[in-house]
Amino acid sequence: MAYNLRSVFLDERSGICAPSVPVTRVGFSREIIECKESWIGKQPVQVPFNVTITLEGQNLKVKGLLGGLSRNYPQEVKIERDENGILQVKKAVDTRIANQMHGLFRTLTNNMVVGVSNDFEKRPSTKGKDLVLSLGFSHPVRMTTPGDLQVKVEENTRIAVSGNDKCSIGEFAASIRRWRPPEPYEGKGVRYANEVIRLKEGKAGKKK
């Protein structure tokens, strides 16, 4: 609803007056933001029998057959261990940042436990007709091998594609390479056996 204020003379002698000014009633609204619990963060972290856990405040140390790891946790989250040895990451405060850190640090905690006990495989493998690649993504890349081709993993890092159709071989090999082409600074990525990568000089290596 709007109101009109009548003109008010500031000085009768000068005849100066303030013009009519429309005034609008301003309404205020309040929005409540709900910080939902992270589904990943709520999942417990199972600890194998051959992994030793040391928990001191916000510091976690894990030790297994493949070595040891440690991590300090921010104040937004806390880590607890129950009587069965299962780890649980919880939010210490109810904020949006804590909600984001909840799932992240649960994943980091699980990675620590897995890393000292089972190790991580970053090598190609085959499962049936599928080629499985670990290329640094959050999940393995699965590619179905065309029916007229055969795929074999050699020396854990070399993929051999064979068949009687040269065009099909080239197309499938190119599709594998497209998932992670070699980057120009260190040459990391998927490349052909005879491919030469021309590396660029990084900023740190340039002369001033």
Side-chain angles (χ1 to χ4, degrees), residues 67-117:
L69 295 171
S70 65
R71 181 175 300 278
N72 290 316
Y73 290 73
Q75 61 183 2
E76 286 82 4
V77 297
K78 58 184 179 180
I79 183 166
E80 299 177 352
R81 187 183 186 187
D82 65 15
E83 62 276 6
N84 297 319
I86 297 175
L87 295 175
Q88 187 78 57
V89 179
K90 299 181 179 180
K91 293 192 300 181
V93 292
D94 193 22
T95 64
R96 181 171 294 177
I97 295 179
N99 187 55
Q100 295 171 350
M101 288 186 173
H102 189 199
L104 170 63
F105 277 87
R106 188 272 170 194
T107 300
L108 294 175
T109 303
N110 187 72
N111 289 347
M112 292 172 63
V113 174
V114 174
V116 299
S117 57

Side-chain angles (χ1 to χ4, degrees), residues 1-15:
M1 181 182 293
Y3 299 89
N4 267 337
L5 297 180
R6 294 182 179 180
S7 298
V8 178
F9 284 94
L10 301 179
D11 191 337
E12 294 182 355
R13 295 181 181 180
S14 62

Side-chain angles (χ1 to χ4, degrees), residues 155-166:
E155 300 177 6
N156 296 327
T157 57
R158 300 174 69 90
I159 302 171
V161 182
S162 60
N164 55 16
D165 189 337
K166 187 175 181 179

Side-chain angles (χ1 to χ4, degrees), residues 24-81:
T24 303
R25 179 177 295 174
V26 179
F28 295 91
S29 62
R30 182 177 63 179
E31 182 180 355
I32 300 177
I33 299 176
E34 181 182 0
C35 297
K36 296 183 178 180
E37 196 88 9
S38 169
W39 183 85
I40 296 177
K42 291 190 297 183
Q43 306 305 310
V45 177
Q46 303 290 337
V47 181
F49 70 93
N50 58 351
V51 174
T52 303
I53 299 294
T54 303
L55 184 58
E56 298 177 351
Q58 292 293 93
N59 179 264
L60 173 68
K61 295 179 180 179
V62 297
K63 187 176 181 180
L65 297 175
L66 300 176
L69 295 171
S70 65
R71 181 175 300 278
N72 290 316
Y73 290 73
Q75 61 183 2
E76 286 82 4
V77 297
K78 58 184 179 180
I79 183 166
E80 299 177 352
R81 187 183 186 187

